[in-house]
Amino acid sequence: MNYQIAIIGGGPAGYTAAEAAGKAGLSVVLFEKNNLGGVCLNEGCIPTKTLLYSAKVYDYAKHASKYAVTVPEASFDLGKIIARKSKVVRKLVLGIKAKLTAHQVNIVTGEAEIMDKNHVRCGDEVYECEKMIVCTGSETFVPPITGIGEVNYWTHRDALDSKELPASLTIVGGGVIGMEFASFFNSLGVKVTVIEMMDKILGPMDGDISSMLCAEYAKRGIAFLLSTKVVAISQSEEGITVSYENEQGAGSVLSEKLLMSVGRRPVTKGFGLENLGLATTERRCIKVDEHLQSSVEGVYVCGDLNGVSLLAHTAVREAEVAVNHIVGKKDSMSYRAIPGVVYTNPEVAGVGQTEEALQSAGIAYRVEKLPMAYSGRFVAENEGVNGLCKVIMAEDGTILGAHVLGNPASEIITIAAMAIETGMKAEEWKKIVFPHPTVGEIFREAL
Ligand SMILES: Cc1cc2nc3c(=O)[nH]c(=O)nc-3n(C[C@H](O)[C@H](O)[C@H](O)COP(=O)(O)OP(=O)(O)OC[C@H]3O[C@@H](n4cnc5c(N)ncnc54)[C@H](O)[C@@H]3O)c2cc1C
């Protein structure tokens, strides 16, 4: 069987590449060993956001009186929340399958093995291809902490399908995924402790906003142990004990469940990738150029596998760029304005440079900070909630970064991403008319 393109992995990178290549009239075979949609659709972006939305509705119901609405007694049914999440996932997976089929993509269910740059084996069949796009994604990384092997801990997969709510939950890792689960379980009444090795939550996201979110969730009862290193984990009849060390000395937390959420790493082993001899970067990621082509001509590496950004929307754009290069359409990848979002309640979103990154690079900038209360719409819809909008500019007014705490940060951040990607200056950005009243007006206000 001979194809113009073989794609390995049916996540956001793989299915986008397959659809785009199919649309362009190329013959395409796509290999997926699990479900179409990859991590994002089946166990990442979509299921977490579906659960978080139920938690948000429950939060609104509990606090409805702030908006002069009476809800006698808000309650929830965890089984039904999980079932709804699974229904949403199934619906979207079917949608992807339908789109790919409509574009004549041959979907092969099974584990693909790369033999060389023109041959892929799956089961008993060998498939020949002219070009290859490898998109095998990433997997949860669990560090080898003392005792971890003897403990029945959760990863995000278990947390997504928890049948019963634990009374208490320790989350190791206060990054984006850890904080989204912390938000979900906190809203549903679980006693949550977050242990984070860095001195702030949310990794490289803006420091002011990360501190504000941390303070907000501390107010709601989440215990944070920052600058804290987990040194051992053990299980007993009482629960799971996480032992840690920090500046105050040694300590431990006992909880019913433990969620390990320290990070993810590209899936590079077990499917013959080494047969291609691809060059890697200093960080041991696979080296790709601005067209996502690896060091081997005709082999493209997109999505989490190349280790650049580990976000679904980056994966999608990379796949489009790779296919455009294959079909000879002028295009190239830019990582200048990739938004990052945390779907807590309130949401956090950021794009472009942070103050911290500019300071350590010694780049001059100016920053405008504005409380979200400057947006009339925000005030109308966020009774008693604080928020912050920061816009960072170069000395000539070029927009370098924007960071927002407040709903709906996930939706309005694209406005800033467009300004950054197109190289807009504050003066030009201000000339754009924003509809009133919208929360996005906060950017004009900040300028
Ligand atoms: C809990 C969680 C929440 C997340 N939330 C967000 C979010 O809100 N927004 C966001 O942008 N990102 C989010 N992410 C990250 C996002 O899921 C990934 O960035 C995205 O899925 C990457 O897409 P991908 O196509 O590179 O890889 P994946 O989605 O990992 O897909 C890779 C696919 O390749 C298949 N595969 C691997 N090896 C083989 C083989 N040898 N043969 C056949 N098939 C193979 C796998 O089965 C998988 O389906 C989240 C991740 C997690 C874990």
Side-chain angles (χ1 to χ4, degrees), residues 14-60:
Y15 71 68
T16 304
E19 189 188 351
K23 246 186 207 168
L26 303 179
S27 58
V28 185
V29 58
L30 170 75
F31 301 94
E32 172 51 59
K33 63 177 178 178
N34 293 319
N35 288 331
L36 283 176
V39 168
C40 176
L41 197 42
N42 294 285
E43 52 176 282
C45 328
I46 298 298
T48 49
K49 270 79 251 183
T50 313
L51 295 187
L52 283 162
Y53 191 71
S54 289
K56 194 187 256 184
V57 171
Y58 179 54
D59 275 339
Y60 285 139

Side-chain angles (χ1 to χ4, degrees), residues 8-15 31-46 48-49 110-113 135-138 140 156 160 176-177 180-181 264 267 270-271 302-305 309-315 341 343:
I8 303 173
Y15 71 68
F31 301 94
E32 172 51 59
K33 63 177 178 178
N34 293 319
N35 288 331
L36 283 176
V39 168
C40 176
L41 197 42
N42 294 285
E43 52 176 282
C45 328
I46 298 298
T48 49
K49 270 79 251 183
E111 184 153 13
E113 188 198 341
C135 319
T136 51
S138 64
T140 300
H156 68 279
L160 284 173
V176 175
I177 295 174
E180 289 185 355
F181 279 110
R264 299 185 57 78
V267 177
F271 62 96
C302 299
D304 284 9
L305 176 61
S309 148
L310 275 72
L311 287 168
H313 38 283
T314 310
V341 177
Y343 294 82

Side-chain angles (χ1 to χ4, degrees), residues 80-121:
K80 287 186 180 161
I81 290 178
I82 305 279
R84 177 173 174 270
K85 176 266 301 173
S86 303
K87 194 177 91 184
V88 168
V89 168
R90 274 197 305 276
K91 183 175 173 177
L92 295 174
V93 169
L94 285 176
I96 288 176
K97 189 168 183 193
K99 271 204 279 189
L100 296 183
T101 310
H103 291 103
Q104 279 79 46
V105 173
N106 181 16
I107 304 164
V108 176
T109 306
E111 184 153 13
E113 188 198 341
I114 299 169
M115 301 165 73
D116 60 45
K117 66 179 247 185
N118 300 112
H119 297 91
V120 176
R121 193 195 334 258

Side-chain angles (χ1 to χ4, degrees), residues 30 53 65 97 99 161 194 198 200 259 264 268 272 286 322 339 345 354:
L30 170 75
Y53 191 71
S65 61
K97 189 168 183 193
K99 271 204 279 189
D161 282 314
V194 174
M198 288 171 68
K200 65 190 265 289
L259 170 63
R264 299 185 57 78
T268 54
I286 294 164
N345 186 19
T354 58

